Amino acid sequence: MAEDNFTNVMEFILLGFSDLPHIQGFLFGIFLVIYLSILIGNGLLIFITITNPVLQTPMYFFLGNFSFLEICYTSVTLPRMLADLSSQQRTISFIGCAVQALFLYILGVAECLLLAVMAYDRYVAICKPLYYPLIMNRRVCIQLVVASWMIGIPVLIVEIYVIFSLNFCGPNKINHIFCDAPPLLRLACGNLYKVKISVQVAALMFIISPFLLILTSYVKIITTILKLPSTSGRSKAFSTCSSHVMVVCLFYGSGSTVYLGQKANQSAGLDKALALFYTAVTPLFNPLIYSLRNKDVIAALRKLLPKSLRSLNKETNK
């Protein structure tokens, strides 16, 4: 009886972009450039937040950890996608699919929680500036980062076990670019109501809850900023938050649509586009958003440039 609870499927086939056979090489080139850009851009942010003395603050400590998360997050999906585009084999073992889904969710939840932590950091800095060094001390910052990484792991292990304990009695072709719960559930047989409810509950817990914390923080931040007497003070306060708000909108906009706004008749093409957005496009834009809208980051990046390029930048800025 115990064996009946488990699938006989030994491997899955990730269809990915197999419906576009004539542009496989082009897609490989595009995603390779995107992946390398993510590694270089987020790697530079990590490097400057560690080595530059000006950036040794909680805000940049969290930014460096977020950039590291972005690299790990994209490395779960993009290398596999590149291999499928180059080899055309597209098969992934049952265990490999479960491991990919598990790491994807662990890292995705860690990003959601870390974005909430970064919003809380901005709230303390703007709303309680006198207590900021006391509240956001080094020990607290490390504890918040560790909690962001670890808090979702037990729940997500159980969720992945429940999903992959289903009976996959139909085709083993996943019409997606990586192993994900919504397309996997379409291949399973039997009564899936309880499983779908548990997936929705987990999504609500780890997507909506952090988002509500972010929203609450920014309501209080905006209220405090509007009370500032100085126009320059209000502008500076808004500028320190704008980059984080943009990243939150990009990440949550696509992620919540996939896991909370899922429709039975939603096309696989839309699923793939949204998945690419939160697994590739957002990590690509993250270093651009933070570097282009932050004077401290721009100054730190300029120090890494050769003197000739620095002098050229100075001339163009005149």
Side-chain angles (χ1 to χ4, degrees):
M1 291 294 292
E3 290 180 358
D4 292 338
N5 293 328
F6 292 88
T7 179
N8 292 321
V9 173
M10 300 302 294
E11 65 181 18
F12 292 103
I13 299 173
L14 288 167
L15 295 181
F17 300 99
S18 58
D19 55 335
L20 304 170
H22 302 298
I23 58 170
Q24 298 292 294
F26 174 75
L27 290 174
F28 177 85
I30 291 293
F31 291 131
L32 179 61
V33 170
I34 289 175
Y35 185 52
L36 292 176
S37 300
I38 290 170
L39 295 180
I40 294 169
N42 286 285
L44 275 175
L45 277 182
I46 294 169
F47 180 76
I48 63 174
T49 55
I50 292 174
T51 60
N52 194 294
V54 178
L55 305 183
Q56 302 305 305
T57 63
M59 181 174 75
Y60 296 110
F61 173 72
F62 294 135
L63 176 58
N65 278 276
F66 186 73
S67 295
F68 178 67
L69 259 176
E70 293 279 53
I71 290 175
C72 295
Y73 190 56
T74 55
S75 296
V76 174
T77 57
L78 281 182
R80 170 76 208 193
M81 194 189 311
L82 290 169
D84 289 343
L85 286 169
S86 62
S87 67
Q88 303 297 316
Q89 290 184 352
R90 307 184 188 282
T91 58
I92 184 170
S93 68
F94 184 82
I95 296 297
C97 189
V99 169
Q100 186 187 51
L102 177 61
F103 277 99
L104 183 75
Y105 294 152
I106 287 174
L107 294 168
V109 166
E111 284 204 17
C112 291
L113 295 174
L114 192 55
L115 284 170
V117 167
M118 293 167 77
Y120 175 71
D121 171 68
R122 292 298 83 209
Y123 159 73
V124 177
I126 293 172
C127 300
K128 300 182 179 181
L130 297 178
Y131 297 98
Y132 183 71
L134 182 65
I135 296 174
M136 301 303 294
N137 58 65
R138 185 72 176 176
R139 182 180 177 183
V140 169
C141 291
I142 292 173
Q143 288 174 342
L144 288 171
V145 169
V146 172
S148 298
W149 276 85
M150 303 298 292
I151 199 168
I153 291 178
V155 176
L156 294 170
I157 288 175
V158 173
E159 284 295 318
I160 291 298
Y161 176 79
V162 169
I163 292 171
F164 282 86
S165 295
L166 294 171
N167 183 23
F168 295 93
C169 55
N172 65 338
K173 294 180 179 180
I174 303 175
N175 194 8
H176 206 50
I177 54 178
F178 52 78
C179 291
D180 201 3
L184 277 166
L185 291 177
R186 296 190 191 112
L187 303 180
C189 302
N191 188 357
L192 305 178
Y193 178 76
K194 291 183 178 179
V195 178
K196 289 181 178 179
I197 290 297
S198 69
V199 171
Q200 290 289 318
V201 169
L204 285 169
M205 186 187 306
F206 295 121
I207 295 178
I208 294 300
S209 297
F211 181 75
L212 290 176
L213 290 174
I214 293 169
L215 191 62
T216 303
S217 297
Y218 276 106
V219 168
K220 293 183 178 180
I221 286 170
I222 292 170
T223 303
T224 302
I225 290 174
L226 293 176
K227 292 179 182 178
L228 294 176
S230 169
T231 304
S232 61
R234 289 197 295 269
S235 177
K236 184 178 180 181
F238 274 122
S239 67
T240 60
C241 301
S242 58
S243 299
H244 181 252
V245 171
M246 292 174 69
V247 172
V248 168
C249 292
L250 286 171
F251 185 77
Y252 272 93
S254 54
S256 60
T257 303
V258 171
Y259 296 106
L260 297 177
Q262 190 70 213
K263 297 178 182 179
N265 59 348
Q266 187 164 300
S267 69
L270 180 59
D271 284 347
K272 294 175 189 178
L274 291 170
L276 277 176
F277 201 84
Y278 66 80
T279 59
V281 177
T282 301
L284 176 65
F285 284 160
N286 171 46
L288 293 174
I289 291 170
Y290 277 105
S291 60
L292 293 176
R293 300 185 63 85
N294 191 301
K295 293 180 180 179
D296 292 333
V297 173
I298 291 173
L301 288 172
R302 280 179 175 171
K303 289 182 180 179
L304 297 176
L305 296 173
K307 291 183 179 180
S308 58
L309 288 178
R310 289 209 303 268
S311 61
L312 180 62
N313 283 335
K314 288 180 181 178
E315 291 178 4
T316 54
N317 289 333
K318 291 178 182 179

